[in-house]
Amino acid sequence: MNRFHKKHILDMASLSVDEIELILNTATALKEISERPIKKVPTLRGKSIVHFFHEPSTRTRTSFEIAAKRMSADTFSISASTSSMTKGETLLDTVTNLQAMNPDIIVMRHSVSGAPHFVAKHLNASVINAGDGMHAHPTQCLLDLMTAKEAVGKIKGLKLSIIGDIFHSRVARSNIVGFVKMGATVTVAGPCTMIPPGIDSLGAQVTHSLEEAISGADIIMTLRIQKERQNNFFFPSEREYASLFGLSYDRLKAMNKNAFIMHPGPINRGVELSSDVADCPESLILKQVANGVAIRMALIYLLMGGTRDAHSN
Amino acid sequence: MRIRIENGTVVDPSQNLDAKRTIYIDGKKIKDVLEPEDISNPPFSADETDYVYNAEGQIICPGFLDMHVHFRDPGQEYKETIETGCKAAAHGGFTDVCCMPNTVPVNDQPEITKYMIEKARALGGTRVHPVATISPGSNGKALTEMGLLLQAGACAFSDDGYPVTDAQLMRRAMEYARSFDALIISHCEEMRLASGVMNEGIISTRMGLAGIPNAAESIMVMRDIALCELTGARLHIAHVSTAQSVEAIRRAKEKGLPVTAETAPHYFTLTDSAVLEYDTNAKMNPPLRSEKDREAIRKGLADGVIDAIATDHAPHAELEKKVPFDLAANGIIGLETSVSLSMSLVHDGILTFSQFVEKMSLNPSKILKITPKMVASGQAADITIIDPSKAYSVSSKSFQSKSRNTPFDGWSCRGKVMRTIADGKIIY
Ligand SMILES: [Zn+2]
Ligand SMILES: [Zn+2]
């Protein structure tokens, strides 16, 4: 399959295996652009992309900006503080106004789960979900798939363990769905308070033992522990979390000699991950960042190629 | 030291044993448990024996465990210390106790947990298993570091004395505890309803004292059972005092939920009529209830709904009890009367001897996941010896506890602790 027929990238559940493979292959082909002295191709000249970030984000937003610029698209930014939403405008009002500007793609991050799906229903433009609430973060999953494939060789049969606050993590939800769909085995680990009920129905195996999660894994992904989760009693203290589920290099090596390390960032050094793990040779964290740009270039490229088909249908 | 215990009957429900045996203890372990006809071949000779105990007519049981005591150490050593508490426990037949965390400060830090264990270990008598708090300061506002506390030796978690009012906190505490298969012990009390000083009923009305209705307890029992069902965590209900609580626990067990329960000797021995003379030594929380409740507790013990007998040993200084009833501190000491009062359940035909030992030793061990004690060769020499028919009258003067707040002073009892042996050492 060469054509991409999706109009939106909302979550991993709505992408097929073939579509995911096409995105990964396209990203691999486009990655080379970022390594050229002149890191720009004219492919999407004249296309306009709005970056609508209702929740603060530096990394994801920058990654999308760079991806768009390397493809020569025009970009516009709206953040929660600059949009009229702070003045009481509803999401629907904002979206209707955006529609009037006739953008081709809206890249959207929102603190409310399902907000991008809502916007997609009311817009003619394509919507890329750059993270919604605790629900989904499909571009993160795609860049993780790409990074994992580069490191291990293939996704099928790969063992991924995700450790930490699964409950609040859109990255965990998307990665469980995406990796399982592509034939990997996904194990999640954390204190029971951080493992939401029914997560196994997404295809994940659940353990509360760090040792069990780490020992057999090819790739270990740790998640950021947010101190404010103490407020709703999800965990007692960073000290306890670090001692029970925090990964130091010695601890990692005692349980697993060969596993690679991933983290969606930003890292809480000394809590879920010690510095010697973040910066160790097995760490793929900077590769994840580089692949993030390639995946986002691939997505806007494919969505723009797919728009014509969407119109003809 | 080498000890031989002869002529006694071993009652050990963990191995379904109820028969005459001679026991040989060598050092910290039971060397051998021999049938009378096999004693011609002892593991060590009479010459090599340091101490012989003649247990004629007596019952030899695996060491008893009281899973609910208050030792007031650190912070209120004028009421009890770990030393006096452990001596009282040994005197009462207990090789092991679980200390509730409402000391001053409360046991919410690994350092405090370690202090309690180490202090008892240095004394070499009854062992202490600290229960740590659910919330720092038992203030019901956050979670304690359960993982670190377990590593320090905590055996369970409870905000005993300060019920967890926030259902969300209790839910998370149970969820978090499930990560470690740790036990949550709930002091079930709805604080707004429990604003009285004794059981709500005819007697409180007659005496003009503010009452605490049964619902103050059972509402929280039911809430916590619902949270147990939600989270799958192991829940233990402390000091059950009402018929409604027994019913709720019965239904939870029928559903297969991991719920267990304890009651204290005063709840199956006394009723609120003990308060009639404004006796402050009959004031405790939960309060002594009606005859109907007492019957329900006894039935719950008989049919296994209530798994364990624990004293809620709560020492208070004389000046805290020698005040008008309204102002008196809650709680009574219980370690040195528990076995004798509980033996009456056997004499009354409510429990078999084996069931009695289950409630005092095997079941609390299972609930706490502490290795159950066994009177068998190779096992730790933890033994409680009882004379079931010995009649005596309770004298609080003979107590080892630092406090004297018991309503049972002068009571006539049948059944007495004769010896307590922990790790091969005769500690009473
Ligand atoms: Zn209590
Ligand atoms: Zn208590």
Side-chain angles (χ1 to χ4, degrees):
Chain A
M1 132 168 195
N2 296 314
R3 277 253 178 76
F4 193 72
H5 293 283
K6 276 269 160 330
K7 182 170 182 198
H8 308 292
I9 306 294
L10 295 176
D11 49 41
M12 292 308 294
S14 53
L15 291 174
S16 70
V17 171
D18 287 344
E19 285 162 349
I20 293 168
E21 265 167 5
L22 178 61
I23 295 166
L24 295 181
N25 292 339
T26 308
T28 305
L30 291 173
K31 195 177 173 181
E32 171 267 332
I33 295 170
S34 296
E35 286 151 10
R36 294 180 192 171
I38 310 286
K39 303 175 181 63
K40 207 171 174 93
V41 292
T43 320
L44 296 184
R45 191 180 290 156
K47 298 290 182 189
S48 55
I49 300 177
V50 171
H51 293 136
F52 175 29
F53 277 65
H54 184 261
E55 196 184 67
S57 155
T58 312
R59 303 163 162 259
T60 307
R61 183 184 185 132
T62 309
S63 181
F64 270 108
E65 293 271 2
I66 292 173
K69 296 216 152 86
R70 291 202 173 145
M71 304 297 281
S72 299
D74 297 322
T75 63
F76 307 88
S77 282
I78 303 170
S79 64
S81 52
T82 60
S83 79
S84 311
M85 293 190 74
T86 46
K87 296 167 197 153
E89 190 177 81
T90 66
L91 184 55
L92 188 58
D93 290 336
T94 309
V95 167
T96 317
N97 276 287
L98 283 176
Q99 184 57 54
M101 299 169 207
N102 207 17
D104 297 289
I105 296 177
I106 293 192
V107 175
M108 177 174 174
R109 166 164 294 190
H110 204 282
S111 57
V112 171
S113 299
H117 302 68
F118 172 81
V119 169
K121 267 185 220 156
H122 294 94
L123 267 185
N124 295 328
S126 289
V127 174
I128 299 179
N129 180 4
D132 64 322
M134 309 192 304
H135 171 237
H137 196 350
T139 64
Q140 178 73 43
C141 172
L142 289 163
L143 74 88
D144 288 340
L145 281 167
M146 182 177 177
T147 311
K149 196 173 171 188
E150 284 176 3
V152 180
K154 60 181 170 50
I155 302 297
K156 201 173 164 60
L158 175 149
K159 292 196 183 79
L160 169 70
S161 286
I162 309 176
I163 294 157
D165 187 357
I166 311 298
F167 189 103
H168 295 99
S169 176
R170 54 194 172 213
V171 174
R173 283 179 180 76
S174 279
N175 273 341
I176 293 167
V177 173
F179 275 79
V180 168
K181 187 171 269 183
M182 300 310 284
T185 308
V186 180
T187 301
V188 296
C192 291
T193 41
M194 292 181 167
I195 308 286
I199 196 75
D200 50 328
S201 71
L202 295 184
Q205 294 169 19
V206 177
T207 175
H208 306 295
S209 146
L210 183 68
E211 166 104 57
E212 202 182 308
I214 288 190
S215 56
D218 299 308
I219 295 182
I220 296 156
M221 171 178 279
T222 58
L223 300 176
R224 179 179 170 79
I225 291 300
Q226 291 178 283
K227 209 170 159 33
E228 56 268 31
R229 302 300 181 206
Q230 272 172 261
N231 300 342
N232 228 330
F233 322 131
F234 283 95
F235 75 113
S237 70
E238 288 184 339
R239 172 173 86 155
E240 164 135 325
Y241 186 86
S243 111
L244 298 177
F245 289 98
L247 218 50
S248 69
Y249 198 61
D250 289 345
R251 193 173 205 178
L252 169 67
K253 287 287 145 180
M255 295 178 185
N256 190 324
K257 292 254 179 303
N258 306 313
F260 293 103
I261 301 296
M262 298 209 291
H263 191 297
I267 304 170
N268 263 335
R269 286 179 188 251
V271 184
E272 70 268 9
L273 214 57
S274 67
S275 282
D276 55 6
V277 178
D279 308 330
C280 73
E282 296 84 358
S283 169
L284 302 174
I285 294 171
L286 293 177
K287 294 201 166 94
Q288 287 174 275
V289 176
N291 286 339
V293 175
I295 284 290
R296 283 147 189 152
M297 286 165 76
L299 287 175
I300 55 179
Y301 171 76
L302 290 170
L303 285 176
M304 287 302 90
T307 316
R308 287 188 301 272
D309 292 320
H311 280 297
S312 60
N313 283 345
Chain B
M1 186 153 134
R2 292 200 172 108
I3 302 170
R4 187 173 77 241
I5 304 165
E6 55 191 27
N7 303 324
T9 300
V10 172
V11 175
D12 183 349
S14 74
Q15 34 182 340
N16 250 325
L17 185 61
D18 184 348
K20 283 224 161 190
R21 290 287 185 271
T22 300
I23 293 151
Y24 298 85
I25 295 170
D26 189 356
K28 292 181 164 195
K29 297 254 150 132
I30 297 173
K31 185 85 180 167
D32 233 331
V33 178
L34 296 183
E35 295 183 29
E37 51 268 29
D38 293 339
I39 55 168
S40 52
N41 229 337
F44 45 79
S45 67
D47 290 353
E48 296 168 313
T49 308
D50 303 295
Y51 178 77
V52 178
Y53 183 78
N54 184 357
E56 182 72 51
Q58 297 175 16
I59 306 289
I60 301 160
C61 313
F64 289 172
L65 163 55
D66 185 341
M67 64 183 297
H68 193 139
V69 303
H70 297 267
F71 277 1
R72 314 301 190 197
D73 182 354
Q76 294 176 314
E77 290 86 350
Y78 68 96
K79 300 183 190 219
E80 192 84 285
T81 63
I82 289 171
E83 182 171 5
T84 57
C86 284
K87 281 185 178 157
H91 187 213
F94 297 98
T95 58
D96 296 80
V97 294
C98 297
C99 286
M100 284 295 156
N102 62 337
T103 44
V104 184
V106 300
N107 178 16
D108 58 3
Q109 292 292 326
E111 290 67 30
I112 301 172
T113 301
K114 283 185 202 148
Y115 158 82
M116 292 178 173
I117 296 170
E118 283 310 318
K119 192 156 178 204
R121 186 176 292 159
L123 293 164
T126 293
R127 285 168 296 248
V128 161
H129 306 270
V131 176
T133 62
I134 289 171
S135 60
S138 278
N139 65 8
K141 297 207 186 314
L143 285 182
T144 47
E145 295 168 319
M146 291 187 185
L148 299 177
L149 286 159
L150 287 168
Q151 285 169 14
C155 67
F157 298 93
S158 179
D159 276 356
D160 187 43
Y162 312 96
V164 179
T165 50
D166 183 334
Q168 178 73 302
L169 176 65
M170 194 57 160
R171 176 238 171 112
R172 297 275 182 243
M174 289 169 79
E175 252 170 13
Y176 196 72
R178 190 166 65 83
S179 318
F180 317 101
D181 194 26
L183 181 72
I184 297 285
I185 301 177
S186 180
H187 167 120
C188 290
E189 186 183 11
E190 210 296 310
M191 293 299 271
R192 296 279 294 144
L193 277 176
S195 58
V197 295
M198 70 169 293
N199 183 48
E200 181 173 300
I202 297 162
I203 292 174
S204 66
T205 299
R206 197 188 303 168
M207 297 177 72
L209 292 173
I212 301 171
N214 283 17
E217 175 175 303
S218 52
I219 279 179
M220 289 300 252
V221 170
M222 289 173 200
R223 181 199 77 171
D224 288 349
I225 286 171
L227 292 176
C228 167
E229 187 171 11
L230 172 67
T231 61
R234 295 195 297 123
L235 170 70
H236 179 76
I237 309 291
H239 42 59
V240 172
S241 75
T242 75
Q244 291 85 346
S245 299
V246 175
E247 248 340 279
I249 295 160
R250 185 189 311 277
R251 282 198 302 273
K253 287 190 164 192
E254 281 164 5
K255 262 188 171 175
L257 298 178
V259 176
T260 54
E262 74 190 28
T263 190
H266 38 277
Y267 299 119
F268 59 72
T269 308
L270 300 174
T271 64
D272 55 358
S273 61
V275 183
L276 271 172
E277 300 298 317
Y278 294 97
D279 179 3
T280 56
N281 280 332
K283 184 181 178 188
M284 67 278 294
N285 188 19
L288 296 170
R289 301 288 184 182
S290 69
E291 180 58 28
K292 198 171 136 270
D293 295 301
R294 194 180 78 108
E295 284 304 321
I297 299 288
R298 289 162 84 89
K299 186 163 177 297
L301 281 162
D303 57 24
V305 170
I306 299 175
D307 304 85
I309 296 170
T311 60
D312 201 2
H313 179 82
H316 290 296
E318 208 180 350
L319 60 98
E320 292 160 314
K321 284 291 195 182
K322 267 197 174 161
V323 290
F325 196 88
D326 270 355
L327 307 176
N330 279 313
I332 61 168
I333 54 171
L335 277 167
E336 291 164 272
T337 47
S338 178
V339 166
S340 297
L341 294 170
S342 303
M343 276 300 299
S344 71
L345 296 171
V346 179
H347 297 314
D348 294 350
I350 290 171
L351 297 181
T352 64
F353 217 108
S354 178
Q355 285 175 317
F356 160 77
V357 176
E358 275 177 22
K359 313 272 183 210
M360 302 296 279
S361 177
L362 181 61
N363 290 351
S365 298
K366 282 185 182 164
I367 292 166
L368 291 154
K369 300 213 182 256
I370 293 171
T371 313
K373 295 152 209 321
M374 286 172 81
V375 184
S377 83
Q379 297 290 316
D382 292 332
I383 284 170
T384 303
I385 303 175
I386 294 168
D387 186 335
S389 50
K390 187 172 176 84
Y392 77 108
S393 101
V394 173
S395 165
S396 66
K397 285 194 186 68
S398 70
F399 285 178
Q400 299 293 313
S401 171
K402 209 165 189 175
S403 293
R404 295 287 177 270
N405 51 313
T406 173
F408 299 113
D409 198 24
W411 269 52
S412 295
C413 290
R414 194 150 65 92
K416 191 173 188 300
V417 176
M418 304 306 291
R419 284 287 180 277
T420 311
I421 300 171
D423 270 332
K425 191 174 153 195
I426 299 169
I427 61 172
Y428 169 67

